[in-house]
Amino acid sequence: ILSPSVWEQESSHHRSEFDKNLCHEIAHVFTRQIHRSYEPMWLNEGLACIVAKQMVRLQKNNYPDFFNPETMSLLDTRKKWEKTITKELTPYATSFLLVDFLIRRFGKQKILRFLKVLDGRYSKKKFYQRFKEVYGKGVIEVKNELLEVQRIKPEGGEKYVY
């Protein structure tokens, strides 16, 4: 762990972000203990951003115009994640919004239960099966709900409409 005094020289983040970044990285440690995998990356990174209270400004503005839930399939494995980052497709923001939607729509307990049943090596097939078991809906159905919420942009900066 780096000292805040050398944080800017040793990382790409501003010194004021030290606490949130530390919290983000610790969230990965805990998630790994529950889930035993880093994949899908969007779930892992989205949870870490939520725990660290990073990107909360996105919650206040509903879904930004750049957000596309189809990106979810581009952010599942490490290899795809790395390619997406190099293309600057805001994978952290997309991951944050996907996980934030799941928590707001279904609750924190479901996402914890979901992590537990995912236990072990990531496979897309197992992920889709476990998702339906826990959420009672398929990934495609939930993505469609998210798209519908994205289309509803409440006036006055209100929170999401379900």
Side-chain angles (χ1 to χ4, degrees), residues 42-43 46 55 58-59 61-75 81 84 88-102 139 142-153 160 162:
W42 67 265
L43 180 61
M55 300 182 206
L58 296 177
Q59 291 173 319
N61 298 322
N62 206 325
Y63 293 100
D65 293 333
F66 68 80
F67 179 68
N68 178 355
E70 298 304 319
T71 307
M72 193 169 125
S73 62
L74 299 175
L75 301 176
W81 178 271
T84 305
E88 299 179 36
L89 293 175
T90 62
Y92 288 97
T94 300
S95 299
F96 172 87
L97 291 168
L98 287 165
V99 174
D100 184 63
F101 177 78
L102 286 175
V139 170
V142 172
K143 281 169 52 174
N144 289 338
E145 281 185 37
L146 192 148
L147 282 169
E148 191 59 36
V149 169
Q150 182 182 4
R151 282 187 213 105
I152 302 170
K153 298 205 176 188
Y160 310 127
Y162 296 120

Side-chain angles (χ1 to χ4, degrees), residues 35-40 118-124 126-127:
H35 174 33
R36 306 207 191 290
S37 175
Y38 293 109
E39 295 173 334
L118 281 178
D119 189 41
R121 187 177 182 102
Y122 174 74
S123 97
K124 192 174 270 192
K126 183 172 85 171
F127 177 84

Side-chain angles (χ1 to χ4, degrees), residues 29-63:
V29 173
F30 283 105
T31 302
R32 174 91 174 163
Q33 289 300 308
I34 297 168
H35 174 33
R36 306 207 191 290
S37 175
Y38 293 109
E39 295 173 334
M41 294 293 292
W42 67 265
L43 180 61
N44 193 6
E45 291 297 341
L47 278 168
C49 288
I50 293 214
V51 169
K53 296 184 177 163
Q54 295 168 309
M55 300 182 206
V56 292
R57 71 186 184 284
L58 296 177
Q59 291 173 319
K60 295 177 184 153
N61 298 322
N62 206 325
Y63 293 100

